[in-house]
């Protein structure tokens, strides 16, 4: 899986949820997502097993996202002049008249060169395709870039931006406190996730009132887990289950640190816990291994080299596999570590020399094989290692073929392959005997009647297949919604029946739960919707109507009957594409608006990149908007994967030279909301994070008149200057996502939508809040800083205020501390409500 410019929640959807396959994401993402969903929606279960870090919610998608898991810097010490009381004239309230933003110096002659430049950098794999002569891209705020984050003048400018933002919003302190209290009151602070059986134990995590991080726990397996957990007193000091022990307290790890991202895996014998930790937010980790019984580290604290977050145990407790990263933060070397020995002696098993390719690691669900995935956005290769054979070497399963993606699982001596081989729009499910170099032998999986399960057509998508002893689970999409299929096998291992899990609501989110036992006759899934808090369901494999609610997310004070939702479609400007839209509101306030003929304040959210899906999920924190009369709208625009991979890929999706479809769709949905009298421009706000921040930046450049407010979270807005430069993390691997602006084919098109290059002079823009993280390796901090300066420089005096809020102690995924995250969300919502005159 490739790291991506993505909102945190995306990492929790469509991930492999089984004992031996983990979402290939950094713990930073997981921690932030935990904070988000602890506060907002799902019954998240963090489980660490012999080879996987498990997340179960209604499994949020992973992406800036996966290239082949389909569900999966220039430095300058030049200064800055910042004066919080001088410069432009935007203000946010009458109490702050005269408060002006920091004035960032413009270097009008500063440029970035795109194309064929003799600078020793990788400009693209084919020199013949490069712009020649090269083209200059204006970069007047390029001096803000400081890779070391030590330039005092740059840091002072960021502090001045924060001071300006705080000054303009100081009148909202009471509202922020009220929102924060509402967020906290809507969650059960002392709680636990749904226990999941593995071996002789059940594993779960706990949270405690007043503590910022989770605690990982386990207890001896019992016959009826739900019956036992129902006996829990609800008190923090009492065990959830008899014999409970804590084997990882992240609160202790976080003591004295501003950030704490941890990724933990229990060993095959259940005796050891290996974990990687990041205490900066930059997504660079070190490995620690401890004895669960004693809590003592069995290796020196500083023994490990810097690594990627992902670790996988071998067949026993003696071996651990991990990645090292290159200078561009790309996992590119796979190492085998003998536990207790020096890391200097570790064996290098594989090195990926192609800068376009990113490594991922997993285990087969039956624990027999280690899978090494190397992939770009368009091409992948899977190699396997027989863990039972100490002399085995990595061997390729299907080779590496241009624009062929595939992912592999194992069951009963056969590979099960999800692939787009032969150019199918979506993934096919194929199989063959488990052996190397077998691509020519792949055959489609059919049921007993001869019907193909997944043929790669546009009607049904396949994101994942997970085998168990007598059945398989498949995760995908149909009709624009996530689906789970049960594949039952006969005694020979062949497919007998194929059945889809169904639900009553017209829009929902569903995914795998904690399915950690290979030999089982039940499956665990998680379910939620716009108005239904997350449930963990146990379903009989033999009869899908036999369902048991193992755990229901408790939302104190929530009355489901008070809220309503709609699922509709909007016709895009091309006259043929129907864009799915999900809408949620409080019913009494919506009915009152309709009866009086009034419009409603409306918040429009979108993402639309990497084939990632924005699902119709439940959010407890969203209630604070709905209860104040805000209608919340999710636009399932092209560039995402809601309708399948063709919704993302060329020629009709939103990638490469059709990327503008993403922005056009979003604007078309905004027009629909206005034209249908649901809202009006003075009451319409919009929001997106990361690549979704690119969406918002391009949207307000295209149609600033449609919006009163815009929130751009860690926004990817400096598109062309970033994608020119191979030294910035993610750049090269994302040439197969956005295109390479060094090439003639892509330069003009990418320049046409790159937000920072298209701010319109003298145009009235909505009020904008931009956020960033100083240590963000995905979207560098200077991107929102530069865009804020460019907006102020170009926009009219009648525009709304432009505020930048830079977290000086976090990375891409905001605060790892769940309470700090809620305070930051209260800040965002406070700004939003104030600008909509709802404060």
């Amino acid at each position: 899986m490739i790291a991506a410019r993505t909102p945190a929640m995306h990492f929790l959807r469509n991930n492999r949820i089984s004992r031996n396959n983990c979402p290939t994401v950094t713990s930073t993402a997981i921690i932030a997502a935990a904070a988000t969903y602890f506060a907002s929606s799902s019954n998240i279960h963090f489980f660490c097993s012999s080879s996987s870090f498990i997340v179960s919610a209604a499994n949020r998608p992973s992406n800036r996202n996966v290239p082949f898991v389909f569900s999966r810097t220039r430095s300058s010490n030049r200064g800055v002049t910042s004066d919080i009381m001088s410069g432009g004239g935007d203000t946010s309230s009458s109490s702050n008249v005269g408060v002006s933003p920091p004035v960032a110096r413009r270097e009008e002659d500063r440029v970035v060169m795109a194309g064929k430049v003799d600078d020793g950098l990788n400009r693209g794999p084919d020199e013949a395709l490069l712009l020649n002569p090269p083209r200059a891209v204006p970069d007047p705020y390029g001096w803000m870039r400081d890779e070391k984050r030590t330039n005092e003048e740059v840091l002072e400018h960021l502090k001045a931006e924060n001071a300006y933002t705080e000054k303009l919003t100081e009148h909202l302190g009471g509202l922020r406190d009220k929102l924060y209290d509402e967020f906290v009151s809507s969650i059960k602070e002392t709680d636990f996730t749904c226990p999941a059986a593995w071996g002789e134990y059940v594993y779960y995590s706990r949270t405690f009132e007043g503590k910022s991080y989770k605690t990982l726990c386990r207890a001896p397996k019992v016959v009826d887990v739900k019956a036992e957990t129902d006996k829990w007193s609800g008190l923090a000091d009492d065990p959830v289950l008899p014999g409970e022990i804590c084997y990882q307290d992240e609160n202790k790890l976080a003591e004295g640190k501003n950030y704490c991202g941890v990724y933990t895996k229990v060993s095959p014998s259940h005796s050891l816990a290996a974990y990687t930790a990041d205490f900066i937010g930059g997504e660079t980790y070190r490995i620690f291994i401890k004895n669960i019984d004693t809590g003592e580290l069995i290796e020196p604290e500083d023994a490990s080299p810097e690594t990627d977050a992902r670790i996988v145990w071998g067949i026993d407790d003696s071996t651990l596999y991990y990645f090292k990263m290159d200078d561009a933060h790309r996992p590119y070397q796979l190492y085998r570590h003998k536990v207790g020995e020096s890391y200097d002696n570790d064996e290098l098993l594989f090195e990926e020399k192609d800068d376009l390719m990113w490594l991922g690691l997993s285990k087969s669900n039956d624990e027999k094989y280690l899978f090494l995935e190397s992939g770009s956005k368009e091409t992948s290769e899977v190699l396997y290692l027989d863990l039972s054979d100490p002399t085995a070497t990595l061997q390729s399963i299907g080779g590496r073929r241009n624009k062929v993606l595939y992912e592999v699982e194992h069951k009963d001596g056969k590979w099960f392959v999800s692939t787009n081989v032969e150019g199918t729009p979506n993934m096919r499910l194929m199989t063959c005997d488990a052996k190397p170099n077998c691509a020519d032998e792949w055959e489609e999986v059919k049921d007993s009647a001869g019907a193909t399960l997944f043929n790669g057509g546009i009607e049904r998508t396949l994101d994942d297949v997970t085998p168990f002893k007598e059945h398989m689970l498949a995760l995908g999409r149909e009709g624009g919604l996530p689906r789970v299929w049960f594949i039952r096998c006969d005694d020979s291992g062949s497919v007998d029946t194929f059945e889809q899990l169904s639900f009553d609501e017209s829009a929902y989110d569903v995914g795998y739960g904690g399915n950690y036992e290979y030999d089982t006759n039940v499956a665990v899934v998680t379910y939620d919707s716009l108005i239904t808090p997350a449930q963990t369901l146990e379903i009989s494999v033999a009869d899908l109507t036999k369902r048991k609610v193992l755990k229901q997310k408790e939302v104190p004070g929530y009355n489901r009957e008070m809220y309503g939702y709609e699922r509709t479609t909007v016709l895009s400007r091309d006259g043929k594409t129907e864009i799915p839209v999900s809408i949620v509101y409080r019913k009494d306030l919506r009915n009152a608006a309709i009866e009086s003929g009034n419009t409603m304040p409306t918040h429009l959210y979108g993402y639309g990149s990497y084939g990632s899906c924005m699902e119709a999920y439940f959010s407890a924190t969203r209630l604070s908007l709905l209860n104040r009369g805000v209608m919340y709208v999710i636009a399932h625009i092209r560039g995402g994967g809601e309708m399948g991979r063709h919704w993302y890929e060329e020629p009709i999706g939103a990638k490469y030279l059709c990327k503008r479809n993403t922005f056009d769709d979003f604007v078309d949905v905004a027009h629909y909301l206005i034209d249908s009298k649901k809202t009006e421009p003075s009451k319409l706000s919009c929001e997106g994070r990361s690549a979704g921040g690119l969406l918002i930046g391009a949207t307000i450049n295209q149609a600033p008149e449609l919006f009163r407010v815009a929130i751009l979270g860690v926004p990817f807005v400096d598109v062309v200057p970033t994608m020119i430069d191979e030294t910035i993390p993610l750049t090269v691997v994302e040439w197969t996502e956005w295109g390479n602006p060094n090439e003639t084919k892509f330069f003009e098109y990418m320049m046409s939508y790159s937000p920072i290059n298209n701010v319109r002079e003298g145009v009235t823009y909505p009020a904008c809040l931009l956020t960033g993280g100083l240590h963000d390796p995905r979207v560098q901090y200077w991107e929102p800083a530069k865009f804020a300066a460019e907006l102020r420089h170009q926009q009219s005096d009648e525009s709304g205020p432009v505020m930048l809020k830079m977290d000086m102690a976090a990375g891409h995924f905001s605060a790892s501390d769940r309470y700090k995250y809620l305070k930051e969300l209260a800040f965002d919502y406070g700004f939003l409500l104030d600008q909509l005159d709802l404060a």
Side-chain angles (χ1 to χ4, degrees), residues 39 108 159 408 716:
E108 300 293 357
K159 292 175 183 176
V408 181
F716 177 42

Side-chain angles (χ1 to χ4, degrees), residues 383-437:
L383 297 93
Y384 74 98
L385 185 70
D386 185 344
L387 292 174
S388 66
D389 182 358
T391 66
T393 58
L394 285 166
Q395 299 185 81
S396 179
I397 292 176
R400 186 177 300 191
R401 291 165 286 173
N402 188 42
K403 296 198 174 182
V404 173
L405 298 168
Y406 68 100
E407 188 179 55
V408 181
E409 249 295 358
H410 176 264
K411 175 176 165 57
D412 298 330
K414 290 186 176 293
W415 300 136
F416 284 86
V417 184
S418 306
T419 180
N420 68 341
V421 66
E422 298 179 358
T424 56
N426 287 303
M427 298 300 159
R428 309 161 70 181
L429 181 57
M430 308 187 80
T431 188
C432 72
D433 290 339
K435 58 184 180 180
N437 303 311

Side-chain angles (χ1 to χ4, degrees), residues 553-619:
K553 183 70 175 179
E554 293 186 44
V555 182
Y558 176 66
N559 181 356
R560 184 177 181 275
E561 298 304 314
M562 292 176 58
Y563 302 90
Y565 73 95
E566 300 171 16
R567 180 80 164 194
T568 188
T569 60
V570 172
L571 186 64
S572 75
R573 66 189 65 184
D574 64 18
K576 55 187 178 183
T577 303
E578 295 284 351
I579 309 161
V581 176
S582 297
I583 305 172
V584 63
Y585 44 79
R586 213 174 88 171
K587 287 192 287 189
D588 61 334
L589 300 178
R590 176 69 181 136
N591 291 336
I594 293 173
E595 291 171 4
S596 64
N598 292 328
T599 58
M600 292 185 72
T602 300
H603 191 55
L604 178 60
Y605 193 95
Y607 185 65
S609 288
Y610 303 102
S612 291
C613 305
M614 288 301 303
E615 307 293 8
Y617 65 95
F618 182 83
S619 168

Side-chain angles (χ1 to χ4, degrees), residues 301-429:
E301 192 167 312
D302 59 352
S304 162
E306 292 186 342
T307 71
D308 179 66
R310 291 158 289 187
I311 47 177
V312 173
W313 284 99
I315 199 166
D316 56 30
D317 292 11
S318 67
T319 306
L320 197 66
Y321 297 88
Y322 68 91
F323 291 131
K324 287 185 179 180
M325 297 182 290
D326 64 12
D327 291 340
H329 226 76
R330 177 182 67 101
Y332 80 117
Q333 291 179 328
L334 173 65
Y335 280 87
R336 177 160 52 199
H337 173 63
K338 292 297 183 182
V339 175
E341 297 184 8
S342 171
Y343 284 86
D344 293 339
N345 300 329
D346 290 352
E347 181 182 2
L348 174 62
L349 298 181
F350 183 86
E351 179 173 350
E352 180 53 73
K353 297 183 183 298
D354 188 340
D355 291 343
L356 286 170
M357 308 296 274
W358 193 283
L359 296 182
L361 195 63
S362 63
K363 245 185 185 177
S364 62
N365 207 35
D366 60 10
E367 298 189 308
K368 292 182 178 180
Y369 297 101
L370 181 78
F371 292 128
L372 174 67
E373 301 99 2
S374 182
S376 71
K377 307 292 182 180
E378 300 180 332
T379 301
S380 67
E381 180 179 16
V382 180
L383 297 93
Y384 74 98
L385 185 70
D386 185 344
L387 292 174
S388 66
D389 182 358
T391 66
T393 58
L394 285 166
Q395 299 185 81
S396 179
I397 292 176
R400 186 177 300 191
R401 291 165 286 173
N402 188 42
K403 296 198 174 182
V404 173
L405 298 168
Y406 68 100
E407 188 179 55
V408 181
E409 249 295 358
H410 176 264
K411 175 176 165 57
D412 298 330
K414 290 186 176 293
W415 300 136
F416 284 86
V417 184
S418 306
T419 180
N420 68 341
V421 66
E422 298 179 358
T424 56
N426 287 303
M427 298 300 159
R428 309 161 70 181
L429 181 57

Side-chain angles (χ1 to χ4, degrees), residues 5 26 77 81 88 100 124 137 169 203 205 228 326 389 402 423 483 485 491 513 524 644 690 773 809:
R5 298 182 171 99
T26 62
N77 291 322
T81 301
S100 299
V137 178
T169 60
Y203 285 81
S205 66
E228 290 295 329
D326 64 12
D389 182 358
N402 188 42
R483 311 283 185 177
W485 289 270
D491 292 340
V524 179
S690 197

Side-chain angles (χ1 to χ4, degrees), residues 444-496:
E444 288 184 321
V445 176
K446 301 176 184 288
D447 64 15
S448 57
T452 300
L453 272 57
F454 294 92
N455 62 13
I458 63 173
E459 295 82 11
R460 178 184 293 165
T461 74
L462 174 64
D463 296 324
D464 171 81
V465 61
T466 299
F468 297 87
K469 185 176 180 179
E470 295 181 353
H471 71 281
M472 295 187 287
L473 293 179
L475 184 68
R477 307 187 72 82
E478 197 169 77
L481 294 173
R483 311 283 185 177
V484 174
W485 289 270
F486 285 63
I487 305 170
R488 303 181 187 91
C489 304
D490 60 24
D491 292 340
S492 69
S494 299
V495 173
D496 185 16

Side-chain angles (χ1 to χ4, degrees), residues 26-41:
T26 62
S27 64
T28 314
I30 294 298
I31 295 299
T36 305
Y37 281 87
F38 170 86
S40 63
S41 68

Side-chain angles (χ1 to χ4, degrees), residues 555-834:
V555 182
Y558 176 66
N559 181 356
R560 184 177 181 275
E561 298 304 314
M562 292 176 58
Y563 302 90
Y565 73 95
E566 300 171 16
R567 180 80 164 194
T568 188
T569 60
V570 172
L571 186 64
S572 75
R573 66 189 65 184
D574 64 18
K576 55 187 178 183
T577 303
E578 295 284 351
I579 309 161
V581 176
S582 297
I583 305 172
V584 63
Y585 44 79
R586 213 174 88 171
K587 287 192 287 189
D588 61 334
L589 300 178
R590 176 69 181 136
N591 291 336
I594 293 173
E595 291 171 4
S596 64
N598 292 328
T599 58
M600 292 185 72
T602 300
H603 191 55
L604 178 60
Y605 193 95
Y607 185 65
S609 288
Y610 303 102
S612 291
C613 305
M614 288 301 303
E615 307 293 8
Y617 65 95
F618 182 83
S619 168
T621 53
R622 187 192 296 147
L623 298 175
S624 291
L625 296 181
L626 304 186
N627 291 339
R628 287 173 171 81
V630 177
M631 185 164 57
Y632 195 98
V633 180
I634 301 172
H636 306 286
I637 51 183
R638 282 178 285 182
E642 287 87 344
M643 303 303 294
R645 287 189 63 84
H646 67 285
W647 201 242
Y648 158 64
E649 299 276 12
E650 290 183 306
I652 64 171
K655 183 181 176 183
Y656 283 146
L657 298 180
C658 58
K659 182 59 197 172
R660 287 201 300 253
N661 284 340
T662 299
F663 322 129
D664 293 347
D665 284 359
F666 196 74
V667 171
D668 290 346
V669 172
H671 276 296
Y672 158 78
L673 295 170
I674 295 167
D675 295 344
S676 62
K677 308 300 182 184
K678 288 180 169 60
T679 192
E680 55 192 277
S682 64
K683 297 180 180 180
L684 182 57
S685 58
C686 58
E687 181 181 5
R689 287 183 55 83
S690 197
L694 159 63
L695 163 68
I696 302 305
T699 292
I700 61 175
N701 280 338
Q702 180 182 146
E705 71 281 358
L706 298 184
F707 302 95
R708 176 80 173 270
V709 195
I711 297 178
L712 300 87
V714 288
F716 177 42
V717 285
D718 200 20
V719 176
V720 172
T722 292
M723 295 306 298
I724 284 171
D725 190 346
E726 64 140 349
T727 67
I728 297 177
L730 298 183
T731 290
V732 174
V733 297
E734 296 216 350
W735 283 343
T736 52
E737 174 69 30
W738 313 99
N740 179 1
N742 289 298
E743 296 181 2
T744 304
K745 176 181 179 181
F746 295 110
F747 178 78
E748 292 292 352
Y749 189 84
M750 295 176 71
M751 282 292 291
S752 75
Y753 69 77
S754 178
I756 202 165
N757 303 108
N758 287 279
V759 179
R760 295 157 60 185
E761 184 178 2
V763 170
T764 300
Y765 276 79
C768 293
L769 173 64
L770 298 93
T771 66
L774 182 63
H775 301 288
D776 190 342
R778 298 170 186 253
V779 177
Q780 305 292 331
Y781 74 86
W782 55 80
E783 295 208 26
K786 290 166 66 175
F787 192 58
E790 186 68 22
L791 281 171
R792 294 184 189 127
H793 179 73
Q794 299 283 7
Q795 67 183 15
S796 73
D797 292 340
E798 292 74 30
S799 298
V802 176
M803 302 185 207
L804 173 65
K805 186 173 184 290
M806 184 66 62
D807 191 326
M808 306 297 281
H812 191 65
F813 298 102
S814 187
S816 58
D817 178 322
R818 63 174 178 161
Y819 292 109
K820 181 182 176 183
Y821 170 80
L822 292 179
K823 288 185 179 294
E824 292 183 351
L825 185 62
F827 186 98
D828 293 353
Y829 277 13
F831 167 81
L832 175 70
L833 292 168
D834 183 45

